[in-house]
Amino acid sequence: MVNVTLDGKKIQVEEGTTILQAADKLDVKIPTLCYHPLLDPYAACRVCVVEASVKGKTDLVTSCNTKVLEGMEVKTASERALKARKLNVEMLMAQAPAAEPVKEIAKELGITKTRFEIKDPNEKCILCGLCVRTCTDVVGAEAISFIERGKDRTVAPPFNEPSEACIGCTACAYFCPTQAIVFEDKYGREIIHDELHLGPVTAIRVPIRQAVPMVPFIDKDACIHFKTEQCKLCEKVCEPEAINHAMEDEVMEIDVGSIIIATGYDIFDAKKNAVYGYGRLDNVLSGLDFERLCNAGGPTGGNILLKDGRKPESVAILHCVGSRDRNYNEWCSRVCCMYAMKFAHLVREKTGAKVHEFYIDIRAFGKGYEEFYNRLMEEDVIFIRGKGAEVTDVAETPEEEGKLVVVCEDTLLGLVRRVPVDMVLLGNGLEPRRDADEIARKFNIGCSHEGFFLERHPKLGPVHTASDGIFLAGACQGPKDIPDTVAQAGAAASEAMAMADRGTFELEPITSFINEELCGACKTCVALCPYTAITFDEEKNVSVVEEALCKGCGTCVAACPAGAATQHGFDDEEMFAEIEGALSVV
Amino acid sequence: MDSANFEPRIVGFLCRWCSYTGADLAGTSRMKYPPNLVPIRVMCSGRVDPTFVIKALKEGADGVLIAGCHPGDCHYTSGNFRTLGRYTLLQIMLEQLGVEKGRVKLEWVSASEGDKWARVVKEITEEVRKLGALNWDGVVEQTKQEVAECADEKVKI
């Protein structure tokens, strides 16, 4: 520990502490521009200059990078220190007349104008180099540096041209003390934090405010560390040292007795059908976008707002987006009518805007659903029977100026209507997951032609699959709302439990066996068996079926040239009798 | 018999997991298709021994349909590939015997393809109807004759 005196106050600090840090502990304010606690001090701006004396020797030092010594006496606002600081600030004012923080410090020091020549009245850069050090030391991109010398010195990419090395992280703009660096996507570079078009996010974040567990995660695609192997600023500021960039995904193998497949669904991408203008027109939101928008933890704190911040005066909700549509998905997605009506209720409640629902048929099939539909009609939601055919921002009348226009055929009126609104919400349908085929193959279960997993029987085995011990739950089996999913998941879980509880496993009763006396030892069956259930007994010179492994497909039986292989319940005689019987009836 | 009034008799061998379930689906979906086909369930289309087909034709069937899972989707991994191999050889043999190609067919029908099942049955029924009744005794007689002719020719090996 080191004892120092700072403006007459005594303090004991650890060795290696800088004067600036010691002053901070005593709440003594030393002005500075180029100092940032996350970066090593460089003493470029020289605003933090103070007078320090050790053993009778007094000198002017920059407090940000001067370490305290035993018995040091520091005067932060002595006449000599202030004079030097004022001169430095005057020079900075000449260099960067437009920099607000410089103006503020000048005002505090009572400087009104600079004696030095002003080169560019709009200049903001004080040439502190914080941005260069950020780019080199923290980010590791090394995209910018000082170029030229003396009065021409400036910060720029090599040859003052857009640099390939820049990863567009905007860290330089973030660290710049005078806002001299402004980030623009002028050169078509990728802005890395654009995952959600509803608002910018950072590379390390909590997914949503209601997330369980409430733990932040690092977006590997956006994190600077995974691009340049540097940065790790979050690791530096995390006091409990909970962040570990070296952590890798781990593949674990777990032995289980049964598996419940609940891989869910994909939402229909409304960009596939250009008529809705999704992703092209502002204020056309998908169902999930709207859920995010009116979520209390969302970008607007739960307020339903247009992109320009206005409250919408009228909202259109389009049903059957990608559902019941021969060009996309033919099936009814079941949940959209009800969630679209929930949207209508929320919009009415939160904004009082006029709400138009464009529907083909209202499918309010569940408990209390029809009542909710009736309630909405009492809440003055306007229901228009006709599928929204187009969303456009091309106005045909003065009322349509600046609005989105929903074109539809009102099948009750027998008219084509154009309804101008401020916001359009899409009732996107449900689709099978993109990789459903792969999962089906992995678990040896079937997929319907739409791509939803196939249950063993639509009525008698709704959670079972063709493979024993594999169960289905939720929308991976077909579009389903939450109550139905919970019910099916409960059934799947209890079926799985029942299997485990039994403690024994029922084998397929239909297995193959080999008549040893007939077996000609040709080994044809050994090669055919897909389960390697047949082995060859060299001693007896016959093939042997391991019954526990045999699934009873009968491929070996059909192939056996000696007729030695037989299948319980399906032997040749039984089959012949069945053929005879089948043909004797007609 | 004129072909319009002729009702062919067809035996179908359906694998339990795909085609039989698919046929079930056609039923529960209330799809209409000709009643000429009598389904026989086997665990896997790989169980269909070519002798079953011959037996069915001998017992008076005018056509036979073998239906299994799509290639790659077999519940028993690879049974349907064996079926395909056997079917190809059987077709050559039947042709040599003088049985028309359209009488014996192999189709892939998955558990979700109720509509395809109905279509397949319709197609084979129409095709066999056009071919008319199978004269199995005639086929046997002719084969015997051909064999005898071969013997007469005193083929020297």
PDB file of all heavy atoms in Angstrom, chain A residues 63-80:
ATOM      1  N   SER A  63      -2.354  12.768 -15.050  1.00  0.00           N
ATOM      2  CA  SER A  63      -2.791  11.920 -13.935  1.00  0.00           C
ATOM      3  C   SER A  63      -3.276  10.543 -14.390  1.00  0.00           C
ATOM      4  O   SER A  63      -3.282   9.600 -13.626  1.00  0.00           O
ATOM      5  CB  SER A  63      -3.878  12.616 -13.134  1.00  0.00           C
ATOM      6  OG  SER A  63      -5.007  12.838 -13.948  1.00  0.00           O
ATOM      7  N   CYS A  64      -3.676  10.434 -15.674  1.00  0.00           N
ATOM      8  CA  CYS A  64      -4.255   9.159 -16.098  1.00  0.00           C
ATOM      9  C   CYS A  64      -3.230   8.052 -16.199  1.00  0.00           C
ATOM     10  O   CYS A  64      -3.551   6.884 -16.018  1.00  0.00           O
ATOM     11  CB  CYS A  64      -5.012   9.325 -17.419  1.00  0.00           C
ATOM     12  SG  CYS A  64      -3.945   9.748 -18.803  1.00  0.00           S
ATOM     13  N   ASN A  65      -1.966   8.406 -16.506  1.00  0.00           N
ATOM     14  CA  ASN A  65      -0.995   7.324 -16.670  1.00  0.00           C
ATOM     15  C   ASN A  65       0.196   7.457 -15.712  1.00  0.00           C
ATOM     16  O   ASN A  65       1.206   6.806 -15.896  1.00  0.00           O
ATOM     17  CB  ASN A  65      -0.507   7.250 -18.117  1.00  0.00           C
ATOM     18  CG  ASN A  65       0.289   8.463 -18.523  1.00  0.00           C
ATOM     19  OD1 ASN A  65       0.204   9.500 -17.868  1.00  0.00           O
ATOM     20  ND2 ASN A  65       1.071   8.336 -19.570  1.00  0.00           N
ATOM     21  N   THR A  66       0.073   8.326 -14.689  1.00  0.00           N
ATOM     22  CA  THR A  66       1.151   8.424 -13.698  1.00  0.00           C
ATOM     23  C   THR A  66       0.743   7.649 -12.461  1.00  0.00           C
ATOM     24  O   THR A  66      -0.326   7.893 -11.887  1.00  0.00           O
ATOM     25  CB  THR A  66       1.409   9.895 -13.336  1.00  0.00           C
ATOM     26  OG1 THR A  66       1.612  10.632 -14.540  1.00  0.00           O
ATOM     27  CG2 THR A  66       2.625  10.022 -12.430  1.00  0.00           C
ATOM     28  N   LYS A  67       1.593   6.710 -12.080  1.00  0.00           N
ATOM     29  CA  LYS A  67       1.265   5.900 -10.919  1.00  0.00           C
ATOM     30  C   LYS A  67       1.712   6.622  -9.650  1.00  0.00           C
ATOM     31  O   LYS A  67       2.735   7.327  -9.655  1.00  0.00           O
ATOM     32  CB  LYS A  67       1.953   4.541 -11.026  1.00  0.00           C
ATOM     33  CG  LYS A  67       1.288   3.696 -12.092  1.00  0.00           C
ATOM     34  CD  LYS A  67       1.952   2.404 -12.346  1.00  0.00           C
ATOM     35  CE  LYS A  67       1.192   1.703 -13.454  1.00  0.00           C
ATOM     36  NZ  LYS A  67       2.071   1.100 -14.434  1.00  0.00           N
ATOM     37  N   VAL A  68       0.939   6.429  -8.592  1.00  0.00           N
ATOM     38  CA  VAL A  68       1.272   7.116  -7.329  1.00  0.00           C
ATOM     39  C   VAL A  68       2.508   6.488  -6.709  1.00  0.00           C
ATOM     40  O   VAL A  68       2.779   5.303  -6.879  1.00  0.00           O
ATOM     41  CB  VAL A  68       0.094   7.041  -6.325  1.00  0.00           C
ATOM     42  CG1 VAL A  68      -1.040   7.920  -6.769  1.00  0.00           C
ATOM     43  CG2 VAL A  68      -0.342   5.620  -6.109  1.00  0.00           C
ATOM     44  N   LEU A  69       3.285   7.325  -5.968  1.00  0.00           N
ATOM     45  CA  LEU A  69       4.472   6.834  -5.270  1.00  0.00           C
ATOM     46  C   LEU A  69       4.311   7.157  -3.788  1.00  0.00           C
ATOM     47  O   LEU A  69       3.524   8.031  -3.408  1.00  0.00           O
ATOM     48  CB  LEU A  69       5.735   7.525  -5.809  1.00  0.00           C
ATOM     49  CG  LEU A  69       6.066   7.216  -7.272  1.00  0.00           C
ATOM     50  CD1 LEU A  69       7.169   8.145  -7.757  1.00  0.00           C
ATOM     51  CD2 LEU A  69       6.498   5.754  -7.420  1.00  0.00           C
ATOM     52  N   GLU A  70       5.043   6.464  -2.939  1.00  0.00           N
ATOM     53  CA  GLU A  70       4.960   6.677  -1.484  1.00  0.00           C
ATOM     54  C   GLU A  70       5.288   8.143  -1.161  1.00  0.00           C
ATOM     55  O   GLU A  70       6.279   8.687  -1.639  1.00  0.00           O
ATOM     56  CB  GLU A  70       5.937   5.726  -0.772  1.00  0.00           C
ATOM     57  CG  GLU A  70       5.976   5.840   0.739  1.00  0.00           C
ATOM     58  CD  GLU A  70       4.651   5.511   1.407  1.00  0.00           C
ATOM     59  OE1 GLU A  70       4.021   4.501   1.037  1.00  0.00           O
ATOM     60  OE2 GLU A  70       4.211   6.281   2.283  1.00  0.00           O
ATOM     61  N   GLY A  71       4.407   8.744  -0.384  1.00  0.00           N
ATOM     62  CA  GLY A  71       4.632  10.121   0.063  1.00  0.00           C
ATOM     63  C   GLY A  71       4.360  11.164  -0.999  1.00  0.00           C
ATOM     64  O   GLY A  71       4.719  12.339  -0.857  1.00  0.00           O
ATOM     65  N   MET A  72       3.733  10.786  -2.088  1.00  0.00           N
ATOM     66  CA  MET A  72       3.460  11.746  -3.175  1.00  0.00           C
ATOM     67  C   MET A  72       2.410  12.761  -2.743  1.00  0.00           C
ATOM     68  O   MET A  72       1.458  12.422  -2.046  1.00  0.00           O
ATOM     69  CB  MET A  72       2.994  10.980  -4.416  1.00  0.00           C
ATOM     70  CG  MET A  72       2.853  11.858  -5.658  1.00  0.00           C
ATOM     71  SD  MET A  72       2.142  10.908  -7.004  1.00  0.00           S
ATOM     72  CE  MET A  72       3.587  10.605  -7.980  1.00  0.00           C
ATOM     73  N   GLU A  73       2.639  13.995  -3.139  1.00  0.00           N
ATOM     74  CA  GLU A  73       1.660  15.035  -2.839  1.00  0.00           C
ATOM     75  C   GLU A  73       1.134  15.579  -4.170  1.00  0.00           C
ATOM     76  O   GLU A  73       1.917  16.012  -5.008  1.00  0.00           O
ATOM     77  CB  GLU A  73       2.293  16.147  -2.003  1.00  0.00           C
ATOM     78  CG  GLU A  73       1.258  16.932  -1.227  1.00  0.00           C
ATOM     79  CD  GLU A  73       1.920  17.966  -0.340  1.00  0.00           C
ATOM     80  OE1 GLU A  73       2.866  17.607   0.401  1.00  0.00           O
ATOM     81  OE2 GLU A  73       1.489  19.123  -0.402  1.00  0.00           O
ATOM     82  N   VAL A  74      -0.169  15.513  -4.340  1.00  0.00           N
ATOM     83  CA  VAL A  74      -0.746  15.906  -5.628  1.00  0.00           C
ATOM     84  C   VAL A  74      -1.638  17.125  -5.440  1.00  0.00           C
ATOM     85  O   VAL A  74      -2.433  17.185  -4.498  1.00  0.00           O
ATOM     86  CB  VAL A  74      -1.571  14.746  -6.231  1.00  0.00           C
ATOM     87  CG1 VAL A  74      -2.138  15.131  -7.597  1.00  0.00           C
ATOM     88  CG2 VAL A  74      -0.716  13.493  -6.370  1.00  0.00           C
ATOM     89  N   LYS A  75      -1.447  18.085  -6.330  1.00  0.00           N
ATOM     90  CA  LYS A  75      -2.360  19.243  -6.337  1.00  0.00           C
ATOM     91  C   LYS A  75      -3.067  19.245  -7.690  1.00  0.00           C
ATOM     92  O   LYS A  75      -2.427  19.456  -8.720  1.00  0.00           O
ATOM     93  CB  LYS A  75      -1.579  20.545  -6.127  1.00  0.00           C
ATOM     94  CG  LYS A  75      -1.122  20.730  -4.695  1.00  0.00           C
ATOM     95  CD  LYS A  75      -0.313  22.003  -4.564  1.00  0.00           C
ATOM     96  CE  LYS A  75       0.319  22.044  -3.160  1.00  0.00           C
ATOM     97  NZ  LYS A  75       1.546  22.876  -3.157  1.00  0.00           N
ATOM     98  N   THR A  76      -4.366  19.000  -7.681  1.00  0.00           N
ATOM     99  CA  THR A  76      -5.078  18.862  -8.965  1.00  0.00           C
ATOM    100  C   THR A  76      -5.455  20.210  -9.555  1.00  0.00           C
ATOM    101  O   THR A  76      -5.721  20.312 -10.747  1.00  0.00           O
ATOM    102  CB  THR A  76      -6.370  18.035  -8.794  1.00  0.00           C
ATOM    103  OG1 THR A  76      -7.248  18.757  -7.942  1.00  0.00           O
ATOM    104  CG2 THR A  76      -6.093  16.666  -8.226  1.00  0.00           C
ATOM    105  N   ALA A  77      -5.502  21.234  -8.719  1.00  0.00           N
ATOM    106  CA  ALA A  77      -5.946  22.528  -9.244  1.00  0.00           C
ATOM    107  C   ALA A  77      -5.018  23.643  -8.801  1.00  0.00           C
ATOM    108  O   ALA A  77      -5.451  24.759  -8.514  1.00  0.00           O
ATOM    109  CB  ALA A  77      -7.382  22.782  -8.795  1.00  0.00           C
ATOM    110  N   SER A  78      -3.718  23.317  -8.755  1.00  0.00           N
ATOM    111  CA  SER A  78      -2.763  24.374  -8.387  1.00  0.00           C
ATOM    112  C   SER A  78      -2.671  25.374  -9.534  1.00  0.00           C
ATOM    113  O   SER A  78      -3.075  25.087 -10.671  1.00  0.00           O
ATOM    114  CB  SER A  78      -1.398  23.749  -8.111  1.00  0.00           C
ATOM    115  OG  SER A  78      -0.853  23.301  -9.337  1.00  0.00           O
ATOM    116  N   GLU A  79      -2.103  26.512  -9.265  1.00  0.00           N
ATOM    117  CA  GLU A  79      -2.027  27.574 -10.275  1.00  0.00           C
ATOM    118  C   GLU A  79      -1.280  27.080 -11.518  1.00  0.00           C
ATOM    119  O   GLU A  79      -1.704  27.260 -12.650  1.00  0.00           O
ATOM    120  CB  GLU A  79      -1.317  28.790  -9.679  1.00  0.00           C
ATOM    121  CG  GLU A  79      -1.677  30.078 -10.408  1.00  0.00           C
ATOM    122  CD  GLU A  79      -0.901  31.244  -9.816  1.00  0.00           C
ATOM    123  OE1 GLU A  79      -0.918  31.377  -8.568  1.00  0.00           O
ATOM    124  OE2 GLU A  79      -0.310  31.985 -10.611  1.00  0.00           O
ATOM    125  N   ARG A  80      -0.193  26.356 -11.247  1.00  0.00           N
ATOM    126  CA  ARG A  80       0.646  25.881 -12.356  1.00  0.00           C
ATOM    127  C   ARG A  80      -0.100  24.819 -13.191  1.00  0.00           C
ATOM    128  O   ARG A  80      -0.080  24.843 -14.433  1.00  0.00           O
ATOM    129  CB  ARG A  80       1.907  25.250 -11.748  1.00  0.00           C
ATOM    130  CG  ARG A  80       2.993  25.059 -12.774  1.00  0.00           C
ATOM    131  CD  ARG A  80       4.232  24.544 -12.088  1.00  0.00           C
ATOM    132  NE  ARG A  80       5.122  23.919 -13.045  1.00  0.00           N
ATOM    133  CZ  ARG A  80       6.019  22.996 -12.731  1.00  0.00           C
ATOM    134  NH1 ARG A  80       6.122  22.565 -11.490  1.00  0.00           N
ATOM    135  NH2 ARG A  80       6.789  22.495 -13.661  1.00  0.00           N
TER     136      ARG A  80
END
